[in-house]
Amino acid sequence: DGGITQSPKYLFRKEGQNVTLSCEQNLNHDAMYWYRQDPGQGLRLIYYSQIVNDFQKGDIAEGYSVSREKKESFPLTVTSAQKNPTAFYLCASSVGLADTQYFGPGTRLTVL
Amino acid sequence: RKEVEQDPGPFNVPEGATVAFNCTYSNSASQSFFWYRQDCRKEPKLLMSVYSSGNEDGRFTAQLNRASQYISLLIRDSKLSDSATYLCVQRGGGSYIPTFGRGTSLIVHP
């Protein structure tokens, strides 16, 4: 089955801890994205990557970091510097930046 | 990037009703438009693209009005399963990165 997977579905962490969210795709897409969604809010772009070994900050990159060492993988680290990390995190991919985005099932992060 | 604005609703309609949502965008250079559907606590899924000539897919019709800078989604013969949040998305005008609206909530009741 081709698609985008995110793990885990639910994640709980203590305040002050870094946490890494996984995103994997086997669609052979070049572009990948990370979004954050808060209740009643639209999707806000955290980081995106157009191609392997390249990534760019989105609108709300502060307190987050990413890597793109493989085409299939685009992990997101939520650092302790992120002031309000509790949210629903969505990963997406597309053939290229100009193409339709497809989303993974999301990870719901709760920081206690 | 410019904003995309949607009425959050909820739109509460009976089964079989016709319902329409609008979405306004502020960037006149926007090139591509989409409607995504998002079920509660799930990921957004592409519903349909919006072409200049309009787009129809079964009970769903999307229209683009460039002069007034809005797109619309019309749902005919609403089903209970249509209950979801509908996200308006625009892309272009200097950036490939899409801008998402906050979504319009639709509740279809028996």
Side-chain angles (χ1 to χ4, degrees):
Chain A
D1 281 338
I4 306 171
T5 57
Q6 292 185 243
S7 61
K9 189 172 182 178
Y10 298 97
L11 189 56
F12 296 88
R13 280 294 181 268
K14 291 183 179 179
E15 194 172 338
Q17 290 182 332
N18 291 358
V19 60
T20 297
L21 281 57
S22 167
C23 177
E24 305 278 331
Q25 54 95 4
N26 60 5
L27 300 168
N28 200 33
H29 286 174
D30 281 317
M32 296 187 74
Y33 315 78
W34 274 105
Y35 291 91
R36 168 183 174 140
Q37 188 176 37
D38 295 281
Q41 302 294 314
L43 277 64
R44 291 186 290 168
L45 183 66
I46 304 173
Y47 269 98
Y48 67 98
S49 168
Q50 186 173 359
I51 200 165
V52 175
N53 293 323
D54 177 71
F55 50 83
Q56 304 295 328
K57 292 182 179 180
D59 299 318
I60 55 165
E62 185 176 350
Y64 299 97
S65 65
V66 293
S67 62
R68 187 85 189 276
E69 297 176 1
K70 298 187 300 182
K71 187 175 186 176
E72 302 80 16
S73 179
F74 191 40
L76 173 75
T77 296
V78 184
T79 75
S80 56
Q82 169 49 233
K83 294 179 181 178
N84 188 17
T86 295
F88 186 40
Y89 290 88
L90 288 157
C91 177
S93 71
S94 60
V95 173
L97 283 186
D99 298 295
T100 303
Q101 292 184 339
Y102 297 91
F103 286 84
T107 292
R108 202 165 292 276
L109 173 66
T110 301
V111 175
L112 306 171
Chain B
R1 294 192 301 281
K2 303 293 185 178
E3 288 191 358
V4 172
E5 296 189 7
Q6 297 182 251
D7 180 344
F11 285 65
N12 209 318
V13 303
E15 270 187 292
T18 295
V19 61
F21 315 133
N22 281 349
C23 162
T24 60
Y25 61 93
S26 55
N27 189 344
S28 60
S30 295
Q31 296 169 340
S32 307
F33 303 89
F34 309 87
W35 283 103
Y36 277 76
R37 171 196 169 123
Q38 186 174 23
D39 292 295
C40 186
R41 304 177 75 83
K42 300 283 189 181
E43 75 273 25
K45 294 185 178 179
L46 180 67
L47 180 65
M48 58 199 312
S49 302
V50 187
Y51 306 122
S52 295
S53 57
N55 190 17
E56 185 172 323
D57 183 5
R59 298 181 293 109
F60 298 83
T61 301
Q63 299 273 346
L64 167 62
N65 186 317
R66 284 199 182 274
S68 300
Q69 294 187 201
Y70 73 86
I71 67 171
S72 63
L73 178 67
L74 179 78
I75 304 175
R76 291 180 296 277
D77 189 22
S78 298
K79 311 291 184 191
L80 295 177
S81 57
D82 293 335
S83 297
T85 296
Y86 292 84
L87 304 176
C88 169
V89 184
Q90 71 87 26
R91 168 190 268 147
S95 172
Y96 285 122
I97 305 301
T99 301
F100 285 78
R102 295 186 176 192
T104 296
S105 175
L106 171 65
I107 300 171
V108 182
H109 59 82

